[in-house]
Amino acid sequence: MLKNDKWIVEQARAGMIEPFEANLIRHNADAPVLSYGCSSYGYDLRLSPQEFLIFRHIPGTVVNPKRFNPANLESVELHEDQDGQYFILPAHSYGLGVALERLRVPSNITVVCLGKSTYARLGIIVNTTPAEASWEGHLTLEFSNSSGADCRIYANEGICQLLFLEGEPCDTTYADRFGKYQNQPERVTLAKV
């Protein structure tokens, strides 16, 4: 079952999402923002300003998920102007960021992360990823810029939506099996085996 706003608010008060916004925020200090907070059947996460990395081609190298080389990633500068703080994701590139909010997923819930339509209309694809039962931490978020133009990715504003799916209790949660991505900090967590 897909969980609704009432359930999300109740669970957030018990520590599922921190920091938490009970309403969908569309303006900060009289300026428009990409919405974040609780919606009817989901929660719009914000992108942390802490870190954003993009993949750069290094001649002669192949990215290997079993032996990931951090040299293939380059830090992106955080910019700021009257529209807010932002990173630039170059055309036809792939980037990694991290959620500002920390999650504590209940043991009978799996969370699916989806892109926001405002970014989708610009060619930004948020990779669909799950956070399994009893997962905790700051989600590392993956972005692909499929357009031919550089794009701003705003920090401290809505970047993706979480959907909370309830299932029958499982025998072994992500925490029970000591999942490799458990307790991620508010920094990008690289691929590991």
Side-chain angles (χ1 to χ4, degrees):
M1 171 187 287
L2 180 62
K3 305 308 280 184
N4 65 17
D5 51 359
K6 180 180 176 183
W7 180 91
I8 294 167
V9 169
E10 289 171 359
Q11 293 300 308
R13 287 185 179 141
M16 182 178 73
I17 303 171
E18 293 177 317
F20 177 71
E21 285 292 339
N23 298 305
L24 197 62
I25 306 299
R26 293 189 171 128
H27 288 85
N28 277 342
D30 298 321
V33 296
L34 295 163
S35 62
Y36 62 90
C38 194
S39 61
S40 303
Y41 286 93
Y43 190 85
D44 289 9
L45 281 182
R46 290 172 284 182
L47 179 66
S48 170
Q50 294 296 320
E51 184 173 42
F52 198 85
L53 306 172
I54 57 171
F55 280 82
R56 288 290 185 205
H57 176 66
I58 299 173
T61 66
V62 175
V63 177
N64 181 349
K66 291 186 177 183
R67 298 178 191 276
F68 188 79
N69 181 357
N72 286 103
L73 292 170
E74 178 181 305
S75 243
V76 176
E77 178 183 351
L78 180 66
H79 301 274
E80 186 170 4
D81 65 13
Q82 71 277 4
D83 290 330
Q85 293 182 317
Y86 61 93
F87 300 103
I88 296 176
L89 182 59
H92 306 296
S93 67
Y94 196 77
L96 301 173
V98 64
L100 186 143
E101 291 86 354
R102 187 180 199 302
L103 300 177
R104 288 178 188 86
V105 180
S107 62
N108 64 333
I109 298 291
T110 287
V111 178
V112 176
C113 179
L114 301 171
K116 288 179 65 72
S117 59
T118 300
Y119 279 116
R121 286 169 168 79
L122 303 178
I124 302 299
I125 300 165
V126 177
N127 197 6
T128 303
T129 58
E132 295 185 55
S134 295
W135 182 87
E136 292 187 23
H138 292 265
L139 282 172
T140 291
L141 304 168
E142 304 90 5
F143 306 97
S144 177
N145 184 350
S146 61
S147 79
D150 295 352
C151 183
R152 288 183 179 203
I153 306 292
Y154 283 93
N156 300 305
E157 298 187 27
I159 193 67
C160 61
Q161 185 176 63
L162 301 180
L163 300 179
F164 300 86
L165 304 169
E166 182 178 12
E168 295 295 321
C170 57
D171 286 338
T172 308
T173 68
Y174 194 82
D176 293 339
R177 72 175 116 84
F178 305 102
K180 63 187 173 185
Y181 296 114
Q182 187 73 307
N183 292 308
Q184 293 178 170
E186 194 177 341
R187 303 297 292 190
V188 170
T189 299
L190 302 180
K192 47 181 141 175
V193 178

